[in-house]
Amino acid sequence: MAFITLNKDNFFYNLNQIALKIGSVDKIALVLKDNAYGHGLQETAGLAHEFGICHAVVRSRQEAEQIRSLFDTVLVLGDKAVWSDNCSFVLNSLEDITAAEKGSKVELKVDTGMHRNGIPMEELPKALELISERALDLVGLMTHFRSADELGSELFWQQKYFEQVKAMVYEAGFADIRIHSRNSAATLRMNQCREDLVRIGIAAYGYNELASSFDRVALKPVLSLYAQRVSTRQLKKGERIGYFGDFTAPKNMIVSTYDIGYGDGWRRGDSTDPYITAEGVPILGRVSMDFITLETGEDEVCIMANAQKAAQHFGTISYEMSTALSPLIDRIII
Ligand SMILES: *Cc1c(COP(=O)(O)O)cnc(C)c1O
């Protein structure tokens, strides 16, 4: 069966680089949403705990339940706020505040310019009033940057708005709250961090998505994807492979099928512009639901060892390459 390896040394190396950058391990909140960007929620959470990470970020309560015993705090990005001793919930709108269970720990997300989620700055006074009225336990204040990974001033004006937001929240009498705004790109781009947390996703998994014009911290990919040989056959010159026979053998050749396909979250791609595996072997013909064909007889092949490189081929981003991988594939820590 196809399998995924997680390189523990590389993961710890990345976490260490981030800790060095911000001057502390304690400030790292590791983003484990969407099956830890495809790396495996349980496996990644276990490793993070071993490294000494105290804070996690997930998408749903269901994810939080699976890992919350390993962390001091777990921030849930997209689910209804309920009471919990160590989970807090992001409030993205006034409706979220109204829906939150009394006494639940909440963190207010303010929209400082990304215009995706979060309370608009004009609604902030109303939001703070509602939070008090509904006796919610406000433990955090956050925002999200829309283009921290691009050159330009956008990040800086969003930061300026966030300063205003902080002042308003303190003025309203909320004191003991943690402040956080930085994702991987903002963390890698800026020096020092006076805030209480950084929310690190992609960088921990080994990808620095900053443009090469930035002075970039080198990181190491954690995930590799392998497939195993299903069958091998001898093709004669002119014989064609797979659906629609997109690939025609230019010579007599020995080919094998391997057990990975679009059903596993691997990309189907375009057979006229074949993906070349981490070991330099092009995929022949169309990708099937469960199989690909390669000109090799190896029992095991490495399909992808660098999601950023693969993403370039498919015209997407490293995040999508790893996150798409089926949770049913075994994750093995090496
Ligand atoms: C996913 C997410 C992050 C992590 O972003 P990376 O670019 O992977 O570091 C941080 N904050 C929020 C609110 C997110 O949704």
Side-chain angles (χ1 to χ4, degrees), residues 46 48 61 78 111 115 202 215 267 299 311:
R61 257 153 61 192
D111 177 8
H115 305 318
I202 201 71
D215 177 21
R267 286 244 163 181
D299 285 333

Side-chain angles (χ1 to χ4, degrees), residues 160-200:
K160 218 178 88 204
Y161 284 135
F162 195 45
E163 288 303 319
Q164 293 172 15
V165 168
K166 273 190 257 181
M168 285 164 80
V169 172
Y170 289 136
E171 219 163 275
F174 295 94
D176 203 10
I177 46 179
R178 57 183 198 179
I179 306 288
H180 46 104
S181 61
R182 297 182 188 184
N183 60 0
S184 295
T187 302
L188 293 171
R189 176 171 173 175
M190 292 186 273
N191 281 318
Q192 55 175 276
C193 182
R194 271 189 240 103
E195 296 183 348
D196 301 302
L197 282 185
V198 293
R199 301 186 307 263
I200 300 292

Side-chain angles (χ1 to χ4, degrees), residues 31 33 37 77 109 142 144 183-184 199-202 319:
V31 182
K33 67 190 178 195
Y37 291 35
L77 294 170
K109 185 165 178 184
M142 61 189 283
H144 196 48
N183 60 0
S184 295
R199 301 186 307 263
I200 300 292
I202 201 71
Y319 298 76

Side-chain angles (χ1 to χ4, degrees), residues 16 24 29-30 33-34 51 56 73-74 95 99 101 117 140 144 184 247 254 279 315:
N16 210 30
S24 144
L30 183 65
K33 67 190 178 195
D34 295 272
F51 184 84
T73 73
V74 178
E95 289 84 347
E101 199 173 284
N117 281 319
H144 196 48
S184 295
F247 178 82
I254 291 170
E279 295 163 334

Side-chain angles (χ1 to χ4, degrees), residues 1 17-18 80 99 103 136 154 173 193 232 258 265 271 302 310 334:
M1 291 297 279
Q17 291 300 309
I18 295 155
K80 180 180 136 70
L136 304 181
E154 301 211 2
C193 182
T232 297
Y258 291 87
S271 60
C302 182
I334 57 165

